[in-house]
Amino acid sequence: KVAQTDSTVLILGETGTGKELVARQIHYKSKRAAERLITVNCAAIPPDLLENELFGHEKGAFTGAVRPQKGSFELSHNGTLFFDEIGDMSLPLQSKILRAIQEKEITPLGSEKRIKINVRIIAATNTDLKVAIKKGLFRDDLYYRLNVMPINLPPLRERTGDTIILTHHFLRKYNRELKKRIQGFSRDVLEFLPLYNWPGNIRELENAVERAVILM
C-alpha cells in the first residue's frame, strides 16, 4: 500500500533482516520505479564527506573541487533516496537533511543557488531512535518527519516460518552462481534450521547456505 504513495518510510530492524531489500521493493513497486533509486550508507561515509555526497558541490567549493558535482539528492530527483543506517548520521547533518526534506530544496556546497528537488525518502536503521533521541544523538523533529510509515522487520529468530523458505531460495541462488546441482538438504538440517538463533539474521543464513554449497 505504501509503495503506491510518496509517503516517507522508516524501516526498523536488526542488521541482516533485509531492510535494503524492503526499500528496493517499495521503490520498484512505486510510480517512481522508472527513475533512479540512490542508496546512501550513512554509517560508511565520514560526516564531512557525507554532506558532499548528499548535496554536491560547485567548482572551487573546497580544495580539490575542480569541477561541479551533483549530490545524491539531485541525482535522485523524481526517484527515491534511501538513507541506510540513518541513526549513525551526525547531528549537524541531521539538521540539514531535515531542512532539505521540509523545504524540498537543497543548496550545493560553495553555491548560493537553491535547487528544487522531488525525491521520495526511505530511511532505515538498526538503532533504537527513541533511545538515541533521549541520549541527544538523534533529532526528534527529524524522527517525526521520517516516521510517517514505520515498517518493523522482526529478526529471523522470530520468523522461523521464513527460515526454510529462505534456505531453499539461497540454495537455488548459489546453485546457479556456483554451477552446482544440489537438490536439497537432509531432514536433520531442515529440522535444525528453525531452532538456531541466527544472531546474524538472514545474512548469516545466506552465508551458511553459500558455504554449504561450496563444500558439497
Side-chain angles (χ1 to χ4, degrees):
K1 289 180 179 179
V2 74
Q4 300 303 314
T5 73
D6 276 338
S7 297
T8 302
V9 179
L10 179 60
I11 307 171
L12 305 167
E14 294 179 7
T15 298
T17 50
K19 298 187 291 296
E20 185 171 355
L21 179 61
V22 171
R24 289 182 177 278
Q25 287 299 302
I26 291 171
H27 172 74
Y28 290 117
K29 291 182 181 296
S30 75
K31 59 188 178 182
R32 297 175 181 263
E35 304 296 335
R36 299 182 72 176
L37 166 65
I38 302 292
T39 298
V40 177
N41 189 327
C42 302
I45 307 174
D48 53 337
L49 298 181
L50 183 55
E51 183 175 3
N52 181 54
E53 177 80 15
L54 291 171
F55 296 99
H57 63 258
E58 292 294 331
K59 179 180 178 180
F62 50 84
T63 302
V66 296
R67 62 179 64 87
Q69 177 179 303
K70 293 181 179 180
S72 297
F73 270 109
E74 196 172 354
L75 290 172
S76 58
H77 182 66
N78 291 327
T80 302
L81 181 54
F82 173 47
F83 292 99
D84 196 12
E85 300 304 346
I86 197 167
D88 290 16
M89 183 180 287
S90 68
L91 281 169
L93 193 50
Q94 288 176 32
S95 176
K96 295 180 180 181
I97 294 297
L98 175 63
R99 179 174 176 80
I101 295 173
Q102 290 181 161
E103 303 297 329
K104 296 184 178 181
E105 65 180 22
I106 61 165
T107 303
L109 301 180
S111 174
E112 296 180 357
K113 180 179 65 175
R114 294 181 178 181
I115 300 173
K116 289 291 183 182
I117 52 170
N118 174 17
V119 176
R120 201 261 180 91
I121 301 294
I122 302 176
T125 183
N126 60 13
T127 300
D128 187 328
L129 293 183
K130 291 183 179 179
V131 172
I133 290 170
K134 290 180 180 179
K135 292 181 177 179
L137 300 175
F138 201 83
R139 294 179 61 104
D140 56 352
D141 47 4
L142 178 57
Y143 170 73
Y144 291 116
R145 175 64 64 176
L146 296 172
N147 195 34
V148 176
M149 176 57 70
I151 296 177
N152 290 283
L153 288 184
L156 189 55
R157 61 185 174 273
E158 296 177 10
R159 298 156 51 186
T160 54
D162 291 348
T163 307
I164 302 303
I165 297 171
L166 288 166
T167 298
H168 288 302
H169 165 72
F170 292 134
L171 176 60
R172 291 191 296 270
K173 174 182 177 180
Y174 289 107
N175 265 338
R176 185 171 60 251
E177 290 187 8
L178 299 172
K179 296 180 172 54
K180 296 288 189 79
R181 294 184 178 180
I182 299 167
Q183 298 300 308
F185 296 91
S186 69
R187 179 179 297 178
D188 288 345
V189 169
L190 295 177
E191 289 177 353
F192 168 77
L193 289 172
L195 301 178
Y196 178 60
N197 199 39
W198 298 111
N201 290 298
I202 298 171
R203 191 170 297 150
E204 182 184 4
L205 174 61
E206 180 175 4
N207 290 346
V209 175
E210 181 181 5
R211 188 160 55 245
V213 172
I214 291 170
L215 295 174
M216 291 179 72

